[in-house]
Amino acid sequence: MEGIRTALVDRPPAGGSVRAAVAALRESLAHSDIGAMGDSERLALIAELERLKGSASACQMRAADALRVSRQESRPQDALRSVGSEVALARRESPSLGDRFVGVSRALVEEMPATLAALTAGEVGERHAVELVRETAALSLADRAEVDRRLAGVLPGLGWRAAGRAARRVAAELDAASVVRRMEAAVRSRRVSVRPAPDGMAYLTVLGPLREVVGAYAALQARARSVVGGQCDDEGAEGRGVGPVAADTALRLMAGLAPGQVQPVEVQLVITDRALLGVGDQGRSTSDPARVPGHGSVPAPVARSWVRGAGPASVWLRRLYTAPGGRDLVAMDSRRRIFSGLLRRMLVLRDDVCSTPWCDAPIVHADHAHPARLGGATSFGNGSGRCARCNQVKEAPGWRVEVVRGSPHELLIRTPSGAVHHSLAPPLLGWGTDPPAPSPLERHHEALLGA
């Protein structure tokens, strides 16, 4: 552990580069002999590495804020949003988290020195900083500085949730009116969202005023207990507990369905003919998982049960034509003409989620990689699925997106700082799909390269 601790001190980085010093430290961590340590040393190492994470986060924040200041001086237009996207790519996270990180960095560097010092010393983690900035967002600079000062002595002993509660309490004491205004403004951001969950499930989240949400939850629980207790003539428990009955009731009411009615909304389940019907390419398995675009894979038996349970009157089948290896979508059956925008559907099926690396947001816009105003074709090859944020950011000065190849579809993204990132469309059935055997021509090319 001592070697790790002194890596930055005892190994002067080449050319004085901080980046080289960090790379040297990372290399030393990769070659640490954990097996030679005793248990107390291992625990001490875990603690020291936790402090290191906080210190590294503080260094990231100082770098992010310096980037923001530099970019605002040279390119004030769209600077914050563009920097947020660049930071997100560097941190391998979504643009919204990149925006949050840039905002937190600015607050700590310019307005909360005590919190930044605690983070730099490794006494707290990044989540502490995020909570303090979030809970003091509505305060004036003077009041935020007072929260920072008051919590400086106790912050290292608090968990991130407790730190957030403490900041909220002090904020309410210093400026109750701003806290009330923030709560009133929060009501306007009420929404419903969905995100994948493990094992073929998903979370449907309702963000709303506390009183209404708690009231709706109480009503659901009361209804569920009545059903389980056999007190409802219109619905039986059928072996379900209170939790499943409450979930079923909420989903049914929000979808406007009667008990037992089939969900009529199209979910675009992608599955091979072999896995669904047992026919088609004999070289494929009947166990190939299916995929719900934007939400991930589900086992083939589950997908088949969904289709059977929906009933023949509510199931539409659309053929998807793939490249010979089965990896990439090349066309779709257009016989079902009650829906328009077939090309857009192909982009959604191909890209799954926003094509910006690490974004993972749902696709909102079908975008031209090479802009239409510059002669870019409205074609499957030049198209890319993007969230609204990433589609707008790529129009900022210094951003460029180009198609590297068409199958598999690959984009090259250049940021204003010169960083280059690649985006590769997933296989049609999702990442982890077994790659097809190489063709004779591909094997010939591999042999030539090997020679």
Side-chain angles (χ1 to χ4, degrees):
M1 186 177 70
E2 189 62 28
I4 295 173
R5 209 182 260 146
T6 60
L8 289 176
V9 177
D10 297 338
R11 300 181 187 178
S17 168
V18 176
R19 178 183 174 187
V22 173
L25 174 59
R26 181 166 48 82
E27 185 71 15
S28 71
L29 291 175
H31 294 90
S32 302
D33 189 0
I34 305 297
M37 297 179 180
D39 287 348
S40 61
E41 289 181 290
R42 294 183 183 117
L43 287 172
L45 175 61
I46 292 172
E48 193 65 33
L49 289 173
E50 191 61 30
R51 294 171 68 92
L52 178 61
K53 286 195 292 185
S55 182
S57 180
C59 190
Q60 279 188 323
M61 289 184 180
R62 294 197 299 272
D65 193 59
L67 175 64
R68 175 191 63 81
V69 172
S70 173
R71 195 62 56 76
Q72 282 185 320
E73 292 174 352
S74 60
R75 298 173 181 170
Q77 184 179 8
D78 295 327
L80 285 178
R81 177 165 288 198
S82 182
V83 169
S85 290
E86 287 190 85
V87 169
L89 287 168
R91 280 169 52 92
R92 302 186 181 187
E93 61 187 11
S94 69
S96 60
L97 291 179
D99 280 348
R100 187 183 75 174
F101 189 80
V102 172
V104 171
S105 301
R106 178 177 185 174
L108 260 64
V109 171
E110 297 186 353
E111 303 168 10
M112 305 183 75
T115 303
L116 180 61
L119 187 63
T120 301
E123 296 174 346
V124 298
E126 182 178 312
R127 191 63 185 267
H128 289 75
V130 171
E131 287 298 306
L132 261 64
V133 171
R134 183 171 65 86
E135 295 297 344
T136 58
L139 299 181
S140 66
L141 294 181
D143 286 341
R144 173 175 265 179
E146 177 64 14
V147 174
D148 184 54
R149 185 192 66 79
R150 284 200 197 183
L151 297 184
V154 299
L155 192 59
L158 301 177
W160 64 266
R161 288 190 178 89
R165 290 194 297 269
R168 193 181 314 130
R169 195 207 70 77
V170 179
E173 174 190 336
L174 296 175
D175 190 355
S178 71
V179 175
V180 171
R181 287 195 299 271
R182 178 179 172 181
M183 293 176 66
E184 291 173 346
V187 173
R188 295 192 291 272
S189 68
R190 59 191 183 275
R191 60 187 179 274
V192 178
S193 60
V194 62
R195 69 184 191 279
D199 305 321
M201 306 288 279
Y203 296 102
L204 181 63
T205 304
V206 179
L207 177 65
L210 178 64
R211 181 179 59 186
E212 282 79 0
V213 171
V214 171
Y217 177 76
L220 275 174
Q221 292 295 106
R223 165 72 184 188
R225 285 192 291 269
S226 297
V227 171
V228 172
Q231 301 166 0
C232 294
D233 296 334
D234 60 334
E235 184 179 4
E238 300 175 351
R240 298 173 295 169
V242 172
V245 171
D248 295 344
T249 301
L251 293 174
R252 188 176 70 244
L253 290 174
M254 284 188 283
L257 304 176
Q261 185 179 354
V262 174
Q263 173 61 261
V265 178
E266 180 176 345
V267 297
Q268 297 193 45
L269 182 72
V270 181
I271 188 172
T272 66
D273 50 359
R274 181 77 172 155
L276 178 63
L277 305 171
V279 299
D281 185 359
Q282 298 295 316
R284 299 202 69 99
S285 171
T286 57
S287 298
D288 276 346
R291 179 173 67 89
V292 178
H295 295 276
S297 298
V298 294
V302 174
R304 288 192 289 266
S305 70
W306 287 357
V307 173
R308 287 195 300 268
S314 61
V315 175
W316 289 82
L317 297 180
R318 179 184 286 116
R319 289 175 294 181
L320 307 181
Y321 299 93
T322 67
R327 184 197 190 282
D328 302 308
L329 179 66
V330 296
M332 291 175 60
D333 187 6
S334 59
R335 293 184 179 180
R336 185 181 177 191
R337 300 193 179 277
I338 60 174
F339 291 105
S340 60
L342 195 60
L343 181 58
R344 186 183 188 281
R345 288 171 177 263
M346 286 182 64
L347 294 179
V348 172
L349 287 174
R350 183 194 68 196
D351 293 340
D352 191 28
V353 292
C354 177
S355 56
T356 299
W358 306 295
C359 179
D360 290 334
I363 292 174
V364 176
H365 293 164
D367 178 47
H368 292 77
H370 183 62
R373 66 178 183 277
L374 300 178
T378 304
S379 64
F380 188 51
N382 190 48
S384 64
R386 289 185 174 272
C387 68
R389 156 65 185 273
C390 290
N391 189 34
Q392 293 165 0
V393 164
K394 70 179 280 286
E395 299 300 321
W399 286 85
R400 195 177 79 184
V401 177
E402 57 186 86
V403 179
V404 177
R405 56 177 170 170
S407 182
H409 195 257
E410 183 177 5
L411 299 175
L412 185 146
I413 302 170
R414 297 184 188 274
T415 71
S417 61
V420 176
H421 300 271
H422 288 263
S423 172
L424 187 67
L428 182 59
L429 294 178
W431 293 114
T433 303
D434 289 335
S439 67
L441 182 59
E442 289 172 331
R443 285 196 295 267
H444 178 64
H445 286 166
E446 291 174 0
L448 291 177
L449 291 174

